[in-house]
Amino acid sequence: MAAVLVAGLPGVLRAQEVSATVKVPLRTEMPPDTVPDIPEKAPYFSHRRLVVQYDSRYSIINGQFCTINGLKLGMEWRGRVRTGAAVYFLSTGIPTRQPLPDNAADEADAELRFRYLALYTEYVVLHNTRWSLSGNLQVGLGSVHVRYLNDSTNIYDRTPNDFLGVIEPSAAAQMRLFRWASLGAGAGWRLPVLVAPTIRRELGGPVFYLRANILLGPLLKVARGKARLFTQEGLRVRGLNPYTRDKFYGSKTAQEDDK
């Protein structure tokens, strides 16, 4: 039908109509101001932060609730990868079923005690500026001994140290209170290795812990008077998607925290 109409028109009109038809755009382009400004994705190992972390862990050993205190020192990259070293020691003695030496007092109150150094690595699976959910793995080496009352001296003595290895996977959730501090909690399982089976059965078990983080960079900025102590600036961005995360960590506020 279109071909018949064109054929019936004068030559000049036909040329103009064909020319107009050729100039019709095949698609409609969006105005430049409607294109979203998506930030470039920052590398995982950018925006370094030094993190000092008090790590208080709780466990049930031989049916008794005990506390394992520790201190972590490590680095955090872009809020996603954390790694470093930690030291732990059992702050409360626990009753043990380990055999005692011959010089132990009758019905002596024997306690099992241990301490170890560990390397840890942590990856944040879900993350925004306020909350994070992460998986953690610790591998440590240390010693374990039994503290008992000596029958001849009437003072407390200890057995020789036994070598101890610890593997501890866990998961944790964390909430950032201020730009320089956060609190969290987690749970995992302690697996002793490279030690006698009797000690392994006593020390192995569930682990629950609380977490307190202090970011030294933002805290030094507060000390210098460049930021308020209890500010919520930069902590109100919502969402768990990469766009929101990169927007926060690529912002001027986040970059200043790393200085």
Side-chain angles (χ1 to χ4, degrees), residues 14 34 77 81 92 99 106 119 159 186 198 200 204 211 218 239 248:
R14 287 200 305 272
T34 61
W77 287 273
V81 180
T92 55
D106 295 336
L119 298 178
T159 61
T198 54
R200 187 183 310 149
R211 171 176 294 176
F248 171 72

Side-chain angles (χ1 to χ4, degrees), residues 233-254:
E233 181 182 358
L235 300 180
R236 301 186 183 279
V237 179
R238 299 180 180 275
L240 298 174
N241 55 75
Y243 170 75
T244 303
R245 184 170 58 251
D246 293 335
K247 180 179 178 182
F248 171 72
Y249 282 100
S251 66
K252 182 178 180 181
T253 301

Side-chain angles (χ1 to χ4, degrees), residues 49-54 72 74 174 179-183 211-220:
R49 292 188 177 95
L50 178 64
V51 179
V52 178
Q53 184 179 104
Y54 170 70
K72 285 183 174 181
Q174 180 175 284
R179 289 169 58 183
W180 53 271
S182 62
L183 292 177
R211 171 176 294 176
N213 290 351
I214 297 177
L215 303 178
L216 296 183
L219 188 60
L220 289 176

Side-chain angles (χ1 to χ4, degrees), residues 39-55:
E40 295 182 0
K41 186 175 181 179
Y44 274 177
F45 293 96
S46 62
H47 306 300
R48 298 185 301 272
R49 292 188 177 95
L50 178 64
V51 179
V52 178
Q53 184 179 104
Y54 170 70
D55 194 13

Side-chain angles (χ1 to χ4, degrees), residues 163-178:
F163 184 77
L164 172 69
V166 177
I167 300 176
E168 192 174 290
S170 61
Q174 180 175 284
M175 182 183 71
R176 196 170 179 183
L177 300 177
F178 310 105

Side-chain angles (χ1 to χ4, degrees), residues 3 12 20 22 30 32 36 39 41 63 74 84 87 90 96 99 132 141 155 161 164 182 188 202 205 208 226 240 251:
V12 176
V22 173
M30 297 176 61
K41 186 175 181 179
V87 56
L90 184 65
T96 179
S132 67
L141 298 175
I155 61 175
N161 288 327
L164 172 69
S182 62
E202 290 197 44
F208 314 93
K226 296 182 179 181
L240 298 174
S251 66

